[in-house]
Amino acid sequence: RPAAVRSGEEAYRHAKVIDDRVRMARALLRLCGPRFQLGDTEVAQQGLDEAFAILAPLGDTPELAHACFNRSYRAAGEGDMDGVVDWGRRAVRIARAVGDRQIEVLALSFVGVGLMSRGDPEGSATARGAAALAVEYGLVLAAIRTYLNLPELLRAWNAPSEERMSALACARELAERHGWRGDRLVAAEAGEAFEDGRWDEALRLASEISGTAYLASTGMRVAFAEAARHGPAAGVPLLDDPRRRLLAAGTSLHTIQAARASETMLLVGDARAALELAEPAAALIGGLLTPSTQDAIAISAIVAAGLAGDAARRELWLGLGLGVQRQPERPGVRARRAFALAERAADAGDLDSAIAAHAEHADLFARSFDRFPWTQTQLRHAELLVRRGAAGDAERAASVFAAVVPYWRTAGAAWYLARLRTWATARGIPFPRGARAHAASASSTLGLTPREREVAALIAAGMTNRQIAERLVIAERTAEGHVERIREKLSFNSRTEIAAWFARTVAGQGGLA
């Protein structure tokens, strides 16, 4: 990217010497991408404005289509999804009129992203249509970029993991076929590995990524993983560089990503630092940008404010968790609202309502949050059960707590596991032992709905999702959703594990009562 900027600036100087304003605009537009990605947001925006001023009076040209696409791209960085869609559609129209297939595909992809962010069901089809068009046109990099835009948004709407993985697999297959290995693809693969608990692989992939603001959020994950494995001294210093790069870029997108440093500080027990690092994102919570990241920050900030005893900030973040009118009713929005309501009830001393809210929305929490904020909701649920101390609460608290341990064991988060053990011991909750911990949590049917138990039995019988759908007279996508929720609730990675669990634990005990 630095070399690209040097080349673009040289091209601009040559065009200016010969007073070719269209070529000047063309060079400025080529500079936008690498400048934005390097975090030179203000300079990139100035160049885009200059190019647009040159091109707009000239009517429909390939350069104007490119300028409109760059404005759509810029709007995405600020969470202005209306701008993403409007500028993207204008770019598509001009690109089709002048025959610029690459800008047509890329702009159409961003229209899909904007529509998905707004909750429009046409968004996914539009983005996938852009990818198919790119393949048809032979535009390999455009197709890869389009596929890589999909997983985060699909996840935000709780699409089945198979759908997210399909998009990533399409990008990977094209990349391998054409010998391309770009930062975006590596970062996406690293993200999936972090989410699955395959941290050794995730850290290896992260080491391949260049140190720019464009993908500095991966560096934040590395810091978190090192802290969870080896403690504050190993992880906290690693936050500085990626956070600095993100904040220097100055966009809403980068500001939200930088605020995830708060999670690392909460993990290592510094609640006040966690609150301070989350603060820049407070004004952006409730928008349409990076939805899963917003959810994670809101949950962590609510927990941190409680631990720090900061009533004013706790009230602020509870309000942000509850008052998200600007955002469509995504599952993550409903989940963090449920968490905020449960915390409000707990603050008022109404433990029954707080516990009921946690239990009612446990499935939503598990599907909507990354593993760390989900762990925080589980710990809070278990803590409230212990505090209430009614009949059966101790057993339920142990089951709720046990569900979080397998992920951190899989990830090799030894330091954080020791903190979890200390946390559990202080509350009289037994800490699961070794491999048996996974079996203990998985053997419990707490949290599985009757329909999910029925689906688990059909998985054990060897049925595919289509066969399950036909047997239960439901849509295949609905069946896929049930399978995904069962897998996540029981902390399994595959259907095979669900089938083995059912045969060992449920069928062997005479069925699910």
mmCIF file of all heavy atoms in Angstrom, residues 156-196:
data_model
loop_
_atom_site.group_PDB
_atom_site.id
_atom_site.type_symbol
_atom_site.label_atom_id
_atom_site.label_comp_id
_atom_site.label_asym_id
_atom_site.label_seq_id
_atom_site.Cartn_x
_atom_site.Cartn_y
_atom_site.Cartn_z
ATOM 1 N N ALA A 156 -24.244 -11.245 12.050
ATOM 2 C CA ALA A 156 -25.016 -10.260 12.808
ATOM 3 C C ALA A 156 -26.504 -10.581 12.796
ATOM 4 O O ALA A 156 -27.232 -10.229 13.735
ATOM 5 C CB ALA A 156 -24.784 -8.865 12.245
ATOM 6 N N TRP A 157 -26.957 -11.252 11.745
ATOM 7 C CA TRP A 157 -28.381 -11.624 11.665
ATOM 8 C C TRP A 157 -28.613 -13.079 12.039
ATOM 9 O O TRP A 157 -29.651 -13.656 11.752
ATOM 10 C CB TRP A 157 -28.918 -11.330 10.262
ATOM 11 C CG TRP A 157 -29.027 -9.849 10.033
ATOM 12 C CD1 TRP A 157 -28.125 -9.027 9.441
ATOM 13 C CD2 TRP A 157 -30.101 -9.011 10.462
ATOM 14 N NE1 TRP A 157 -28.564 -7.740 9.459
ATOM 15 C CE2 TRP A 157 -29.771 -7.691 10.079
ATOM 16 C CE3 TRP A 157 -31.309 -9.243 11.139
ATOM 17 C CZ2 TRP A 157 -30.613 -6.611 10.349
ATOM 18 C CZ3 TRP A 157 -32.135 -8.168 11.393
ATOM 19 C CH2 TRP A 157 -31.788 -6.872 11.007
ATOM 20 N N ASN A 158 -27.590 -13.697 12.668
ATOM 21 C CA ASN A 158 -27.683 -15.087 13.137
ATOM 22 C C ASN A 158 -27.984 -16.069 12.016
ATOM 23 O O ASN A 158 -28.725 -17.045 12.202
ATOM 24 C CB ASN A 158 -28.744 -15.222 14.242
ATOM 25 C CG ASN A 158 -28.181 -14.862 15.598
ATOM 26 O OD1 ASN A 158 -27.014 -14.515 15.720
ATOM 27 N ND2 ASN A 158 -29.012 -14.920 16.609
ATOM 28 N N ALA A 159 -27.413 -15.796 10.845
ATOM 29 C CA ALA A 159 -27.521 -16.779 9.775
ATOM 30 C C ALA A 159 -26.775 -18.044 10.201
ATOM 31 O O ALA A 159 -25.818 -17.978 10.976
ATOM 32 C CB ALA A 159 -26.927 -16.228 8.485
ATOM 33 N N PRO A 160 -27.193 -19.205 9.728
ATOM 34 C CA PRO A 160 -26.492 -20.442 10.102
ATOM 35 C C PRO A 160 -25.011 -20.353 9.774
ATOM 36 O O PRO A 160 -24.611 -19.722 8.783
ATOM 37 C CB PRO A 160 -27.192 -21.515 9.249
ATOM 38 C CG PRO A 160 -28.540 -20.944 8.950
ATOM 39 C CD PRO A 160 -28.341 -19.467 8.840
ATOM 40 N N SER A 161 -24.184 -20.986 10.594
ATOM 41 C CA SER A 161 -22.741 -20.908 10.373
ATOM 42 C C SER A 161 -22.364 -21.481 9.017
ATOM 43 O O SER A 161 -21.379 -21.048 8.410
ATOM 44 C CB SER A 161 -21.995 -21.653 11.479
ATOM 45 O OG SER A 161 -22.314 -23.030 11.460
ATOM 46 N N GLU A 162 -23.158 -22.441 8.526
ATOM 47 C CA GLU A 162 -22.867 -23.018 7.206
ATOM 48 C C GLU A 162 -22.917 -21.949 6.119
ATOM 49 O O GLU A 162 -22.135 -21.967 5.169
ATOM 50 C CB GLU A 162 -23.867 -24.136 6.871
ATOM 51 C CG GLU A 162 -23.712 -25.386 7.705
ATOM 52 C CD GLU A 162 -24.507 -25.318 9.010
ATOM 53 O OE1 GLU A 162 -25.015 -24.212 9.341
ATOM 54 O OE2 GLU A 162 -24.616 -26.350 9.690
ATOM 55 N N GLU A 163 -23.841 -20.985 6.269
ATOM 56 C CA GLU A 163 -23.970 -19.917 5.275
ATOM 57 C C GLU A 163 -22.764 -18.983 5.330
ATOM 58 O O GLU A 163 -22.229 -18.560 4.307
ATOM 59 C CB GLU A 163 -25.269 -19.146 5.511
ATOM 60 C CG GLU A 163 -25.642 -18.223 4.373
ATOM 61 C CD GLU A 163 -27.025 -17.614 4.544
ATOM 62 O OE1 GLU A 163 -27.803 -18.102 5.390
ATOM 63 O OE2 GLU A 163 -27.323 -16.652 3.811
ATOM 64 N N ARG A 164 -22.331 -18.655 6.551
ATOM 65 C CA ARG A 164 -21.147 -17.806 6.691
ATOM 66 C C ARG A 164 -19.917 -18.514 6.138
ATOM 67 O O ARG A 164 -19.113 -17.919 5.425
ATOM 68 C CB ARG A 164 -20.901 -17.452 8.163
ATOM 69 C CG ARG A 164 -22.066 -16.764 8.839
ATOM 70 C CD ARG A 164 -21.629 -16.094 10.129
ATOM 71 N NE ARG A 164 -20.789 -16.892 10.993
ATOM 72 C CZ ARG A 164 -21.239 -17.659 11.985
ATOM 73 N NH1 ARG A 164 -22.541 -17.749 12.224
ATOM 74 N NH2 ARG A 164 -20.404 -18.332 12.750
ATOM 75 N N MET A 165 -19.767 -19.787 6.502
ATOM 76 C CA MET A 165 -18.606 -20.537 6.063
ATOM 77 C C MET A 165 -18.609 -20.727 4.549
ATOM 78 O O MET A 165 -17.559 -20.792 3.915
ATOM 79 C CB MET A 165 -18.552 -21.885 6.769
ATOM 80 C CG MET A 165 -18.311 -21.780 8.276
ATOM 81 S SD MET A 165 -16.807 -20.845 8.661
ATOM 82 C CE MET A 165 -15.564 -21.928 7.956
ATOM 83 N N SER A 166 -19.803 -20.814 3.954
ATOM 84 C CA SER A 166 -19.903 -20.956 2.502
ATOM 85 C C SER A 166 -19.316 -19.743 1.801
ATOM 86 O O SER A 166 -18.585 -19.880 0.803
ATOM 87 C CB SER A 166 -21.361 -21.148 2.103
ATOM 88 O OG SER A 166 -21.507 -21.086 0.699
ATOM 89 N N ALA A 167 -19.629 -18.542 2.312
ATOM 90 C CA ALA A 167 -19.096 -17.319 1.699
ATOM 91 C C ALA A 167 -17.573 -17.298 1.805
ATOM 92 O O ALA A 167 -16.868 -16.984 0.830
ATOM 93 C CB ALA A 167 -19.698 -16.085 2.358
ATOM 94 N N LEU A 168 -17.044 -17.634 2.983
ATOM 95 C CA LEU A 168 -15.596 -17.651 3.169
ATOM 96 C C LEU A 168 -14.955 -18.730 2.304
ATOM 97 O O LEU A 168 -13.876 -18.519 1.724
ATOM 98 C CB LEU A 168 -15.258 -17.879 4.641
ATOM 99 C CG LEU A 168 -13.775 -17.885 5.022
ATOM 100 C CD1 LEU A 168 -13.110 -16.587 4.600
ATOM 101 C CD2 LEU A 168 -13.613 -18.106 6.517
ATOM 102 N N ALA A 169 -15.617 -19.876 2.180
ATOM 103 C CA ALA A 169 -15.073 -20.965 1.361
ATOM 104 C C ALA A 169 -15.005 -20.568 -0.109
ATOM 105 O O ALA A 169 -14.052 -20.912 -0.808
ATOM 106 C CB ALA A 169 -15.925 -22.224 1.531
ATOM 107 N N CYS A 170 -16.016 -19.818 -0.572
ATOM 108 C CA CYS A 170 -15.995 -19.345 -1.969
ATOM 109 C C CYS A 170 -14.812 -18.418 -2.200
ATOM 110 O O CYS A 170 -14.124 -18.514 -3.223
ATOM 111 C CB CYS A 170 -17.305 -18.629 -2.303
ATOM 112 S SG CYS A 170 -18.738 -19.717 -2.461
ATOM 113 N N ALA A 171 -14.584 -17.502 -1.253
ATOM 114 C CA ALA A 171 -13.442 -16.588 -1.372
ATOM 115 C C ALA A 171 -12.138 -17.376 -1.364
ATOM 116 O O ALA A 171 -11.229 -17.120 -2.170
ATOM 117 C CB ALA A 171 -13.469 -15.579 -0.237
ATOM 118 N N ARG A 172 -12.023 -18.337 -0.456
ATOM 119 C CA ARG A 172 -10.792 -19.112 -0.328
ATOM 120 C C ARG A 172 -10.538 -19.942 -1.595
ATOM 121 O O ARG A 172 -9.401 -20.027 -2.077
ATOM 122 C CB ARG A 172 -10.872 -20.026 0.889
ATOM 123 C CG ARG A 172 -9.587 -20.787 1.163
ATOM 124 C CD ARG A 172 -9.746 -21.778 2.298
ATOM 125 N NE ARG A 172 -9.962 -21.139 3.571
ATOM 126 C CZ ARG A 172 -11.083 -21.223 4.294
ATOM 127 N NH1 ARG A 172 -12.111 -21.938 3.828
ATOM 128 N NH2 ARG A 172 -11.187 -20.611 5.455
ATOM 129 N N GLU A 173 -11.593 -20.541 -2.144
ATOM 130 C CA GLU A 173 -11.431 -21.385 -3.325
ATOM 131 C C GLU A 173 -10.947 -20.564 -4.520
ATOM 132 O O GLU A 173 -10.031 -20.982 -5.248
ATOM 133 C CB GLU A 173 -12.770 -22.063 -3.646
ATOM 134 C CG GLU A 173 -12.675 -23.165 -4.696
ATOM 135 C CD GLU A 173 -12.766 -22.619 -6.118
ATOM 136 O OE1 GLU A 173 -13.423 -21.578 -6.319
ATOM 137 O OE2 GLU A 173 -12.189 -23.247 -7.030
ATOM 138 N N LEU A 174 -11.525 -19.379 -4.707
ATOM 139 C CA LEU A 174 -11.080 -18.507 -5.798
ATOM 140 C C LEU A 174 -9.637 -18.067 -5.585
ATOM 141 O O LEU A 174 -8.837 -18.022 -6.531
ATOM 142 C CB LEU A 174 -11.985 -17.279 -5.886
ATOM 143 C CG LEU A 174 -13.334 -17.461 -6.571
ATOM 144 C CD1 LEU A 174 -14.199 -16.228 -6.357
ATOM 145 C CD2 LEU A 174 -13.143 -17.723 -8.061
ATOM 146 N N ALA A 175 -9.311 -17.725 -4.339
ATOM 147 C CA ALA A 175 -7.957 -17.262 -4.039
ATOM 148 C C ALA A 175 -6.931 -18.357 -4.306
ATOM 149 O O ALA A 175 -5.871 -18.104 -4.900
ATOM 150 C CB ALA A 175 -7.881 -16.807 -2.582
ATOM 151 N N GLU A 176 -7.234 -19.576 -3.879
ATOM 152 C CA GLU A 176 -6.299 -20.678 -4.079
ATOM 153 C C GLU A 176 -6.145 -20.997 -5.559
ATOM 154 O O GLU A 176 -5.040 -21.264 -6.045
ATOM 155 C CB GLU A 176 -6.780 -21.909 -3.314
ATOM 156 C CG GLU A 176 -6.646 -21.767 -1.790
ATOM 157 C CD GLU A 176 -7.206 -22.948 -1.046
ATOM 158 O OE1 GLU A 176 -7.827 -23.825 -1.700
ATOM 159 O OE2 GLU A 176 -7.039 -23.014 0.195
ATOM 160 N N ARG A 177 -7.260 -20.946 -6.296
ATOM 161 C CA ARG A 177 -7.216 -21.278 -7.717
ATOM 162 C C ARG A 177 -6.355 -20.288 -8.499
ATOM 163 O O ARG A 177 -5.680 -20.645 -9.460
ATOM 164 C CB ARG A 177 -8.632 -21.297 -8.309
ATOM 165 C CG ARG A 177 -8.674 -21.856 -9.734
ATOM 166 C CD ARG A 177 -9.984 -21.567 -10.425
ATOM 167 N NE ARG A 177 -11.150 -21.809 -9.589
ATOM 168 C CZ ARG A 177 -12.367 -21.376 -9.905
ATOM 169 N NH1 ARG A 177 -12.560 -20.656 -11.000
ATOM 170 N NH2 ARG A 177 -13.384 -21.629 -9.110
ATOM 171 N N HIS A 178 -6.353 -19.036 -8.048
ATOM 172 C CA HIS A 178 -5.636 -17.997 -8.792
ATOM 173 C C HIS A 178 -4.353 -17.541 -8.100
ATOM 174 O O HIS A 178 -3.752 -16.548 -8.503
ATOM 175 C CB HIS A 178 -6.558 -16.801 -9.028
ATOM 176 C CG HIS A 178 -7.718 -17.126 -9.926
ATOM 177 N ND1 HIS A 178 -7.625 -17.101 -11.304
ATOM 178 C CD2 HIS A 178 -8.987 -17.524 -9.647
ATOM 179 C CE1 HIS A 178 -8.789 -17.449 -11.834
ATOM 180 N NE2 HIS A 178 -9.633 -17.712 -10.847
ATOM 181 N N GLY A 179 -3.960 -18.250 -7.031
ATOM 182 C CA GLY A 179 -2.683 -17.962 -6.406
ATOM 183 C C GLY A 179 -2.622 -16.628 -5.691
ATOM 184 O O GLY A 179 -1.568 -15.990 -5.660
ATOM 185 N N TRP A 180 -3.735 -16.205 -5.096
ATOM 186 C CA TRP A 180 -3.779 -14.905 -4.411
ATOM 187 C C TRP A 180 -3.918 -15.125 -2.917
ATOM 188 O O TRP A 180 -4.708 -15.952 -2.465
ATOM 189 C CB TRP A 180 -4.964 -14.097 -4.931
ATOM 190 C CG TRP A 180 -5.088 -12.720 -4.336
ATOM 191 C CD1 TRP A 180 -4.410 -11.598 -4.701
ATOM 192 C CD2 TRP A 180 -5.968 -12.321 -3.271
ATOM 193 N NE1 TRP A 180 -4.803 -10.531 -3.936
ATOM 194 C CE2 TRP A 180 -5.753 -10.938 -3.043
ATOM 195 C CE3 TRP A 180 -6.893 -12.987 -2.478
ATOM 196 C CZ2 TRP A 180 -6.446 -10.221 -2.071
ATOM 197 C CZ3 TRP A 180 -7.586 -12.281 -1.513
ATOM 198 C CH2 TRP A 180 -7.360 -10.907 -1.321
ATOM 199 N N ARG A 181 -3.151 -14.372 -2.146
ATOM 200 C CA ARG A 181 -3.208 -14.499 -0.680
ATOM 201 C C ARG A 181 -3.145 -13.101 -0.098
ATOM 202 O O ARG A 181 -2.080 -12.593 0.249
ATOM 203 C CB ARG A 181 -2.022 -15.344 -0.204
ATOM 204 C CG ARG A 181 -2.028 -15.658 1.300
ATOM 205 C CD ARG A 181 -3.060 -16.671 1.646
ATOM 206 N NE ARG A 181 -2.979 -17.104 3.027
ATOM 207 C CZ ARG A 181 -3.958 -17.727 3.662
ATOM 208 N NH1 ARG A 181 -5.097 -17.983 3.026
ATOM 209 N NH2 ARG A 181 -3.831 -18.101 4.918
ATOM 210 N N GLY A 182 -4.295 -12.447 0.011
ATOM 211 C CA GLY A 182 -4.350 -11.068 0.476
ATOM 212 C C GLY A 182 -4.694 -10.952 1.948
ATOM 213 O O GLY A 182 -5.204 -11.895 2.572
ATOM 214 N N ASP A 183 -4.416 -9.756 2.499
ATOM 215 C CA ASP A 183 -4.673 -9.509 3.912
ATOM 216 C C ASP A 183 -6.123 -9.748 4.310
ATOM 217 O O ASP A 183 -6.414 -10.269 5.390
ATOM 218 C CB ASP A 183 -4.302 -8.063 4.269
ATOM 219 C CG ASP A 183 -2.806 -7.877 4.445
ATOM 220 O OD1 ASP A 183 -2.092 -8.890 4.466
ATOM 221 O OD2 ASP A 183 -2.365 -6.724 4.564
ATOM 222 N N ARG A 184 -7.061 -9.314 3.469
ATOM 223 C CA ARG A 184 -8.477 -9.452 3.816
ATOM 224 C C ARG A 184 -8.859 -10.902 4.034
ATOM 225 O O ARG A 184 -9.584 -11.236 4.978
ATOM 226 C CB ARG A 184 -9.351 -8.869 2.694
ATOM 227 C CG ARG A 184 -9.559 -7.377 2.712
ATOM 228 C CD ARG A 184 -10.541 -6.901 3.772
ATOM 229 N NE ARG A 184 -11.794 -7.607 3.804
ATOM 230 C CZ ARG A 184 -12.830 -7.363 3.001
ATOM 231 N NH1 ARG A 184 -12.746 -6.435 2.072
ATOM 232 N NH2 ARG A 184 -13.953 -8.042 3.126
ATOM 233 N N LEU A 185 -8.384 -11.771 3.152
ATOM 234 C CA LEU A 185 -8.702 -13.192 3.277
ATOM 235 C C LEU A 185 -8.055 -13.780 4.527
ATOM 236 O O LEU A 185 -8.698 -14.506 5.290
ATOM 237 C CB LEU A 185 -8.229 -13.952 2.043
ATOM 238 C CG LEU A 185 -8.411 -15.476 2.091
ATOM 239 C CD1 LEU A 185 -9.886 -15.843 2.221
ATOM 240 C CD2 LEU A 185 -7.811 -16.126 0.850
ATOM 241 N N VAL A 186 -6.796 -13.451 4.760
ATOM 242 C CA VAL A 186 -6.087 -13.983 5.931
ATOM 243 C C VAL A 186 -6.778 -13.515 7.215
ATOM 244 O O VAL A 186 -6.965 -14.291 8.159
ATOM 245 C CB VAL A 186 -4.607 -13.552 5.915
ATOM 246 C CG1 VAL A 186 -3.893 -14.059 7.168
ATOM 247 C CG2 VAL A 186 -3.913 -14.090 4.673
ATOM 248 N N ALA A 187 -7.180 -12.238 7.241
ATOM 249 C CA ALA A 187 -7.860 -11.711 8.428
ATOM 250 C C ALA A 187 -9.190 -12.414 8.658
ATOM 251 O O ALA A 187 -9.568 -12.697 9.804
ATOM 252 C CB ALA A 187 -8.077 -10.212 8.283
ATOM 253 N N ALA A 188 -9.923 -12.701 7.588
ATOM 254 C CA ALA A 188 -11.204 -13.409 7.724
ATOM 255 C C ALA A 188 -10.982 -14.817 8.263
ATOM 256 O O ALA A 188 -11.731 -15.296 9.133
ATOM 257 C CB ALA A 188 -11.921 -13.459 6.377
ATOM 258 N N GLU A 189 -9.961 -15.497 7.762
ATOM 259 C CA GLU A 189 -9.661 -16.842 8.255
ATOM 260 C C GLU A 189 -9.233 -16.796 9.725
ATOM 261 O O GLU A 189 -9.619 -17.660 10.517
ATOM 262 C CB GLU A 189 -8.561 -17.473 7.399
ATOM 263 C CG GLU A 189 -9.012 -17.799 5.976
ATOM 264 C CD GLU A 189 -7.879 -18.347 5.128
ATOM 265 O OE1 GLU A 189 -6.701 -18.062 5.444
ATOM 266 O OE2 GLU A 189 -8.168 -19.070 4.154
ATOM 267 N N ALA A 190 -8.444 -15.794 10.075
ATOM 268 C CA ALA A 190 -8.021 -15.649 11.471
ATOM 269 C C ALA A 190 -9.222 -15.404 12.370
ATOM 270 O O ALA A 190 -9.315 -15.960 13.476
ATOM 271 C CB ALA A 190 -7.013 -14.508 11.607
ATOM 272 N N GLY A 191 -10.160 -14.582 11.904
ATOM 273 C CA GLY A 191 -11.363 -14.307 12.685
ATOM 274 C C GLY A 191 -12.169 -15.558 12.958
ATOM 275 O O GLY A 191 -12.656 -15.765 14.083
ATOM 276 N N GLU A 192 -12.332 -16.394 11.943
ATOM 277 C CA GLU A 192 -13.066 -17.653 12.129
ATOM 278 C C GLU A 192 -12.325 -18.552 13.114
ATOM 279 O O GLU A 192 -12.944 -19.220 13.942
ATOM 280 C CB GLU A 192 -13.232 -18.363 10.785
ATOM 281 C CG GLU A 192 -14.186 -17.683 9.828
ATOM 282 C CD GLU A 192 -15.621 -17.712 10.312
ATOM 283 O OE1 GLU A 192 -16.000 -18.674 11.016
ATOM 284 O OE2 GLU A 192 -16.378 -16.782 9.971
ATOM 285 N N ALA A 193 -10.999 -18.579 13.020
ATOM 286 C CA ALA A 193 -10.223 -19.432 13.922
ATOM 287 C C ALA A 193 -10.332 -18.945 15.367
ATOM 288 O O ALA A 193 -10.467 -19.747 16.297
ATOM 289 C CB ALA A 193 -8.758 -19.476 13.476
ATOM 290 N N PHE A 194 -10.286 -17.620 15.588
ATOM 291 C CA PHE A 194 -10.476 -17.089 16.937
ATOM 292 C C PHE A 194 -11.847 -17.491 17.477
ATOM 293 O O PHE A 194 -11.988 -17.902 18.628
ATOM 294 C CB PHE A 194 -10.345 -15.567 16.936
ATOM 295 C CG PHE A 194 -8.936 -15.060 17.034
ATOM 296 C CD1 PHE A 194 -8.398 -14.276 16.033
ATOM 297 C CD2 PHE A 194 -8.152 -15.353 18.137
ATOM 298 C CE1 PHE A 194 -7.097 -13.799 16.115
ATOM 299 C CE2 PHE A 194 -6.847 -14.879 18.236
ATOM 300 C CZ PHE A 194 -6.322 -14.100 17.212
ATOM 301 N N GLU A 195 -12.868 -17.351 16.641
ATOM 302 C CA GLU A 195 -14.227 -17.645 17.088
ATOM 303 C C GLU A 195 -14.407 -19.113 17.443
ATOM 304 O O GLU A 195 -15.149 -19.460 18.365
ATOM 305 C CB GLU A 195 -15.224 -17.244 15.992
ATOM 306 C CG GLU A 195 -16.671 -17.360 16.412
ATOM 307 C CD GLU A 195 -17.624 -16.862 15.330
ATOM 308 O OE1 GLU A 195 -17.218 -15.998 14.542
ATOM 309 O OE2 GLU A 195 -18.759 -17.354 15.278
ATOM 310 N N ASP A 196 -13.701 -19.995 16.735
ATOM 311 C CA ASP A 196 -13.817 -21.433 16.979
ATOM 312 C C ASP A 196 -12.926 -21.920 18.114
ATOM 313 O O ASP A 196 -12.979 -23.100 18.468
ATOM 314 C CB ASP A 196 -13.464 -22.215 15.705
ATOM 315 C CG ASP A 196 -14.484 -22.026 14.604
ATOM 316 O OD1 ASP A 196 -15.600 -21.551 14.905
ATOM 317 O OD2 ASP A 196 -14.169 -22.336 13.440
#
